[in-house]
Amino acid sequence: MNDSITESVDVVVVGAGVTGLYAVHRLRGLGHSVRGFERGDDVGGVWYWNRYPGARCDVESVDYSYSFDEELQQEWDWSEKYAAQPEIVRYLRHVADRFDLRRSYTFATSVTSAELDEETLRWTVRTDGGEVVSARYCVFAVGCLSSTHVPDVPGAGDFAGATYHTGEWPHEGVDFGGLRVGVLGTGSSGIQAVPLIAEQAAHLTVFQRSANFSIPAGNAPLDEETRRRQKADYAERRRLSRLSGGGSPHAAHPSATFDVSPEERRAAFEERWELGGVLYSKTFPDQLTDRAANEEARAFWEEKVRALVEDPAVADLLVPTDHPIGTKRIVTDSHYYETFNRDDVRLVSLRENAIERIDRTGIVLADGSRVELDAIVFATGFDAMTGAIDRVDVRGRGGRRLKDVWSGGPRTYLGLGVDGFPNLFNLTGPGSPSVMANVVLCAEQHVDWLADCLRHLDEHGYRAIEADEEAVEQWVAQCRDRAAATLFPAANSWYLGANIPGKPRVFMPFVGGFGVYGEIIADVAASGYEGFTLIRG
Ligand code: FAD
Ligand code: NAP
């Protein structure tokens, strides 16, 4: 096999999203030779792929941006509280230019396999472009939400109109003017896209299987004075974010829900509603562990949303009854609920009237009625957290496939190591806070830990690091037990793999919070990497 190797490097990094880009920068800075591969033809990750109308971040831009370089923080001006996709991609391109990151990447190239050589403990990484790279370390930064999911609806292939997935949106954009459009799916992507598609289309039908909790973003342009204040306060903002559960500087109310008066409770919900978006789930610290506390938050939300929707029968369909608020990521929207007040928008609840099939001209429902369509938008989400790495043939000790090792659900130690796969790291994936927090800071947290770890190995003459089986078992149990102590398992969410037929139902992220997790992994490093075996060369 060695005679086919085209290149030999210290590190291969797979992916050029926020995580991969920072990994390339940091590891190159340590003096390692780094080779990056990216399936897309440029940097950006989810922001490269998700170009649907209305795509924007749900963590404030000032927080959803890198903290590792003070000059970068100070020089970049965000135009809005929640920046839209084109601006975020511009930012990531700016980062790539500023730190000269593209030179380490081959774009439009997918990594297809990674195989461990048990003698040398090096990885042989193969791509669909024919490269065969030998690397000491193999770093996956392939994203939790980068493997799109299109449900298997009978007849979908017969549809004569155009079909799109929000996560693979055409770069040239789509003109829905004059068209009858159907949007299938009401997660964050669907809810963000619906108001803008409704503005363009002749008629829009929204097909909803499960209603979702969404909260207006309260998005607004940032003026010069706000930006100046935010930048002056950046160090404190980041300090609070690093201690927090979600990687943002906004702490939950200091008291539990029922330890305050009804008036104070209402004022706290009102304040979070005004703040906008996803952080509503963290108004009170017990909101995601105590059913009664959760119900208080939910009832306030329902009152607010019913006030936005003119037709009470439509509002009935838009109010979720199947999961506690916050147990699926709360969506951050702009005028979603008001969109259903338009005459040219219809909501079809698939719970009452399921899709029977798609045919040449539209969608046929269980009651025999048809919805004639010119275009269908699948806002149907992702094979989350494991989908992208599952597509790569990763083989560790004894030729064992990672996909098989994870067939009952992902098994990691700290989200960072897997027994049998030395020197292989899957960043911001299962077993870490990742998608439950601000992922930009999660990426920095993982990459910084990794950089310190690789330096430690070199300084002490080790050639490899490998998670211990027992540590993996304990971490899997800890992640499971922490999730079981919350309300999260009560929702059929993608956190649990519930959106993918046949996927094992296992809560995949670490639910204990970004700050707590940071302390755990820092303690492990300080202990000399307890739970890992360091292998001498
Ligand atoms: P990604 O951005 O997914 O990048 C991974 C890259 O790896 C992709 O470009 C992919 O093409 C590439 N890749 C995958 N497999 C291979 C392979 N085999 N070979 C080569 N390349 C490969 N999180 C937040 O915290 N706040 C937000 O506001 C937020 N908004 C989001 C909006 C959308 C529409 C989506 C889908 C997700 C959002 N997220 C948000 C979560 C998002 O996943 C993270 O914020 C973050 O962008 C992930 O970065 P990443 O680099 O880890 O992964
Ligand atoms: P998602 O949350 O998984 O939503 C997918 C939607 O498609 C759900 O409404 C789902 O219904 C529906 N669906 C799936 N299969 C279906 C089927 N066979 N028939 C009918 N409906 C079906 O995916 P997403 O909206 O792309 O969001 C994924 C995650 O990406 C978010 O949770 C968030 O973390 C991130 N994101 C963030 C933003 C942002 O605001 N910054 C924007 C987009 C995405 P069920 O609920 O019934 O399964």
Side-chain angles (χ1 to χ4, degrees):
M1 176 188 302
N2 279 355
D3 53 10
S4 62
I5 283 173
T6 52
E7 191 179 351
S8 202
V9 293
D10 296 326
V11 191
V12 160
V13 172
V14 191
V18 293
T19 309
L21 288 175
Y22 182 50
V24 166
H25 174 64
R26 212 35 238 285
L27 300 181
R28 243 170 39 181
L30 285 182
H32 290 301
S33 54
V34 180
R35 191 83 173 79
F37 291 103
E38 166 55 55
R39 180 164 59 91
D41 62 14
D42 199 5
V43 301
V46 302
W47 302 106
Y48 170 92
W49 296 105
N50 291 260
R51 295 166 187 249
Y52 59 85
R56 56 178 75 245
C57 52
D58 62 3
V59 170
E60 285 180 70
S61 302
V62 61
D63 301 314
Y64 188 72
S65 47
Y66 291 116
S67 71
F68 69 83
D69 187 280
E70 180 58 14
E71 278 181 25
L72 172 66
Q73 275 193 155
Q74 293 296 331
E75 79 195 4
W76 186 263
D77 286 335
W78 291 108
S79 71
E80 290 180 284
K81 180 178 171 192
Y82 298 102
Q85 174 273 335
E87 188 172 0
I88 303 174
V89 125
R90 239 183 359 260
Y91 168 75
L92 292 171
R93 286 188 188 138
H94 169 75
V95 172
D97 290 342
R98 197 182 195 289
F99 300 100
D100 192 16
L101 302 178
R102 282 195 188 82
R103 74 176 157 85
S104 293
Y105 276 100
T106 304
F107 291 100
T109 302
S110 289
V111 166
T112 51
S113 68
E115 192 179 350
L116 180 73
D117 178 332
E118 279 193 69
E119 286 284 304
T120 61
L121 296 185
R122 290 180 68 87
W123 288 89
T124 303
V125 177
R126 290 184 156 75
T127 75
D128 62 359
E131 285 107 322
V132 185
V133 181
S134 168
R136 180 174 172 198
Y137 302 110
C138 189
V139 176
F140 282 94
V142 289
C144 286
L145 297 161
S146 60
S147 175
T148 52
H149 167 63
V150 178
D152 197 8
V153 184
D158 300 336
F159 185 59
T163 58
Y164 307 96
H165 189 287
T166 48
E168 284 172 355
W169 203 258
H171 284 206
E172 62 280 12
V174 179
D175 180 3
F176 289 112
L179 302 185
R180 297 160 303 172
V181 182
V183 171
L184 185 52
T186 51
S188 300
S189 303
I191 286 178
Q192 283 191 331
V194 156
L196 287 156
I197 296 177
E199 275 176 22
Q200 276 189 28
H203 188 274
L204 171 65
T205 308
V206 179
F207 296 91
Q208 169 190 280
R209 184 166 68 182
S210 311
N212 225 325
F213 291 101
S214 184
I215 295 198
N219 194 28
L222 294 177
D223 59 32
E224 201 43 58
E225 173 51 22
T226 307
R227 276 202 293 258
R228 195 198 56 71
R229 258 189 296 109
Q230 287 177 340
K231 286 182 184 182
D233 196 32
Y234 237 141
E236 179 62 2
R237 215 176 160 103
R238 298 302 200 177
R239 189 186 71 79
L240 292 172
S241 299
R242 288 194 187 98
L243 295 173
S244 72
S248 291
H250 310 281
H253 194 286
S255 306
T257 302
F258 296 109
D259 290 348
V260 298
S261 68
E263 293 73 30
E264 191 175 344
R265 196 151 60 232
R266 209 178 155 78
F269 288 137
E270 187 70 51
E271 195 183 309
R272 277 296 156 118
W273 179 273
E274 286 303 317
L275 179 65
V278 70
L279 287 170
Y280 184 79
S281 65
K282 293 188 166 73
T283 312
F284 287 98
D286 54 346
Q287 214 167 296
L288 285 164
T289 50
D290 180 289
R291 281 248 173 209
N294 190 278
E295 176 51 25
E296 288 288 304
R298 197 209 61 77
F300 181 91
W301 175 92
E302 180 173 349
E303 191 186 317
K304 285 285 196 189
V305 166
R306 283 193 183 275
L308 298 173
V309 183
E310 285 164 10
D311 182 344
V314 173
D316 284 348
L317 298 177
L318 289 169
V319 173
T321 53
D322 64 347
H323 65 283
I325 188 166
T327 53
K328 289 181 178 180
R329 190 175 181 91
I330 291 184
V331 181
T332 305
D333 75 85
S334 297
H335 313 298
Y336 177 64
Y337 293 106
E338 298 91 320
T339 302
F340 293 97
N341 298 334
R342 297 174 64 118
D343 293 337
D344 54 2
V345 175
R346 176 183 169 210
L347 178 65
V348 171
S349 171
L350 301 178
R351 290 275 165 85
E352 281 77 31
N353 200 3
I355 292 177
E356 199 168 273
R357 65 179 189 282
I358 298 178
D359 68 11
R360 219 177 64 76
T361 59
I363 291 183
V364 181
L365 298 169
D367 68 358
S369 63
R370 323 174 34 84
V371 182
E372 296 288 331
L373 296 169
D374 303 306
I376 300 177
V377 174
F378 288 96
T380 45
F382 302 88
D383 181 357
M385 308 212 72
T386 53
I389 199 162
D390 272 358
R391 286 181 182 177
V392 182
D393 187 7
V394 182
R395 289 180 190 262
R397 289 190 189 278
R400 280 193 315 161
R401 286 184 71 184
L402 185 66
K403 190 174 174 178
D404 296 336
V405 172
W406 284 9
S407 60
R411 299 176 67 263
T412 76
Y413 175 44
L414 309 175
L416 283 160
V418 185
D419 52 314
F421 296 81
N423 285 359
L424 182 129
F425 305 91
N426 183 39
L427 302 184
T428 64
S432 74
S434 98
V435 284
M436 307 207 74
N438 170 357
V439 180
V440 180
L441 294 193
C442 291
E444 291 187 334
Q445 186 183 58
H446 262 184
V447 170
D448 288 341
W449 187 94
L450 176 64
D452 288 347
C453 171
L454 301 196
R455 188 164 45 207
H456 179 91
L457 297 182
D458 279 350
E459 282 174 0
H460 294 83
Y462 297 109
R463 78 179 152 133
I465 180 168
E466 180 174 357
D468 298 337
E469 188 179 349
E470 198 188 340
V472 170
E473 296 299 339
Q474 285 173 5
W475 188 250
V476 169
Q478 183 176 161
C479 288
R480 185 192 55 222
D481 294 347
R482 280 180 184 265
T486 71
L487 301 175
F488 280 102
N492 286 321
S493 67
W494 55 259
Y495 296 141
L496 278 154
N499 62 326
I500 302 296
K503 196 164 173 172
R505 196 181 168 97
V506 173
F507 196 85
M508 294 180 279
F510 171 85
V511 81
F514 176 70
V516 169
Y517 174 81
E519 279 174 29
I520 294 172
I521 63 172
D523 286 348
V524 167
S527 73
Y529 298 92
E530 198 180 345
F532 289 96
T533 297
L534 308 188
I535 304 162
R536 289 217 176 269

